[in-house]
Amino acid sequence: MTPKTWLIETDELERELEAPDIVVIDATWYLPGEAKNAREDYLAEHIPGAVFFDIDEIADDKAKTGHMLPPPEKFSSRMRKMGIGDGQRIVVYDRQGTFSAPRAWWMFRVMGAQDVSVLNGGLMKWKAEGRPLMMGEPTPRTPRHFTARRNLDLVRDVDDVKKAVEDKSSDIVDARSAERFAGTAPEPRLGLRAGHMPGAVNLPYKQVLNDDGTFKSAAELQEVFASAGLDHHKPVVTTCGSGITACVLALALGEAGYLRTSVYDGSWAEWGADDRLPIETG
């Protein structure tokens, strides 16, 4: 059954940490150029029992752009080794408040998991409240079988988005900054054109979050999306630089009651690199 919310609060998670059916995941990821190592930061401190989810490694090795969705068999294999399997409750967080955790949340949903939540406010809120932390490697989890059933309704590829641009069958929402969307700021990845997909709407992902990294309320999110001009009855495709913060918007749309939301997996890393695809600036 789909939960009423995709979020779990810090106090609720702390109460459930010892539950045998719960698995906590640190899905921290940093932008290219940031002099940080997500796995090293995980080893330095993480929520007790959490396992590290490497977004760049649990990806399609053959894709031209980084960390695109892996084949279901690779995802199942990685989850088995991590001790994540069928029938478990999955909670994902990241260090930045809310940034990359929704990407892992979306990946699990694409692969068929339904009982998966994002920790509202992430490790930033957890630490601010003085909740327990541990360091080093956790006790290895027993391998479990993970059944991957790919839900293609949640994913859009370049051909799908090209069609949406042409026939306006879906609203396209871009989570990048206003400057990158307009083409006045450089992309963090080399070789990409500046600008956005024709007809796309810009909604920087931080606009769906509070200052503490938590999501705004459902009513506030509905107002944010309505102000952006999104049609509640029309499918929505979210996009960003490389498919990370597009998932922040996808989760926010779900909280606001938008039922037909998908993520363009390749995002601007794919679109901006292909001279055959149309772009706009400004």
Side-chain angles (χ1 to χ4, degrees):
M1 181 181 295
T2 302
K4 292 180 181 179
T5 176
W6 296 109
L7 301 173
I8 184 171
E9 302 300 328
T10 49
D11 58 343
E12 184 181 355
L13 177 59
E14 186 174 6
R15 288 196 303 270
E16 294 279 352
L17 271 183
E18 300 298 324
D21 65 333
I22 203 162
V23 56
V24 183
I25 293 171
D26 184 322
T28 299
W29 178 89
Y30 296 119
L31 283 166
E34 287 188 87
K36 295 179 180 180
N37 184 297
R39 180 163 181 80
E40 288 180 4
D41 284 348
Y42 159 79
L43 291 173
E45 60 177 6
H46 54 263
I47 292 175
V51 295
F52 182 69
F53 186 104
D54 189 336
I55 285 173
D56 283 331
E57 198 285 322
I58 305 172
D60 185 352
D61 301 325
K62 298 177 181 178
K64 293 180 181 178
T65 56
H67 57 248
M68 288 184 72
L69 281 167
E73 55 272 17
K74 178 176 180 178
F75 191 86
S76 293
S77 171
R78 295 297 185 272
M79 294 310 103
R80 182 182 188 281
K81 290 177 182 177
M82 291 165 67
I84 303 169
D86 299 342
Q88 290 182 310
R89 292 181 291 155
I90 300 164
V91 177
V92 191
Y93 73 88
D94 63 62
R95 297 182 65 84
Q96 297 98 310
T98 301
F99 180 66
S100 54
R103 172 71 187 190
W105 162 84
W106 174 77
M107 290 174 68
F108 273 107
R109 291 188 60 223
V110 171
M111 296 299 173
Q114 283 295 326
D115 203 342
V116 53
S117 306
V118 168
L119 180 63
N120 200 13
L123 191 66
M124 190 167 74
K125 186 169 187 283
W126 184 272
K127 288 174 62 177
E129 294 168 348
R131 300 187 188 277
L133 295 165
M134 68 176 289
M135 63 185 298
E137 295 283 1
T139 303
R141 300 177 63 88
T142 303
R144 294 176 62 103
H145 178 72
F146 184 96
T147 305
R149 300 185 183 89
R150 191 153 169 158
N151 183 352
L152 295 178
D153 289 342
L154 302 177
V155 190
R156 291 293 175 266
D157 64 18
V158 65
D159 292 328
D160 296 328
V161 178
K162 188 168 180 280
K163 182 177 183 296
V165 166
E166 291 168 352
D167 65 14
K168 298 179 173 52
S169 54
S170 299
D171 285 332
I172 301 172
V173 189
D174 192 322
R176 292 177 300 156
S177 69
E179 294 79 14
R180 287 171 65 189
F181 181 84
T184 58
E187 287 294 311
R189 295 167 183 82
L190 296 176
L192 298 184
R193 299 172 296 165
H196 58 267
M197 298 150 201
V201 172
N202 186 214
L203 185 60
Y205 78 95
K206 289 185 178 179
Q207 292 187 20
V208 303
L209 303 173
N210 298 308
D211 291 341
D212 64 354
T214 58
F215 280 86
K216 292 181 176 179
S217 69
E220 290 171 322
L221 291 172
Q222 288 165 2
E223 178 59 33
V224 168
F225 293 127
S227 297
L230 298 191
D231 184 340
H232 210 291
H233 304 290
K234 199 173 182 180
V236 181
V237 179
T238 66
T239 182
C240 61
S242 66
I244 299 290
T245 56
C247 299
V248 178
L249 292 189
L251 195 157
L253 284 158
E255 292 295 299
Y258 286 74
L259 301 179
R260 292 189 292 166
T261 300
S262 55
V263 172
Y264 173 25
D265 193 19
S267 283
W268 198 253
E270 181 176 46
W271 193 279
D274 191 339
D275 292 337
R276 298 168 298 177
L277 296 171
I279 64 170
E280 290 180 347
T281 56

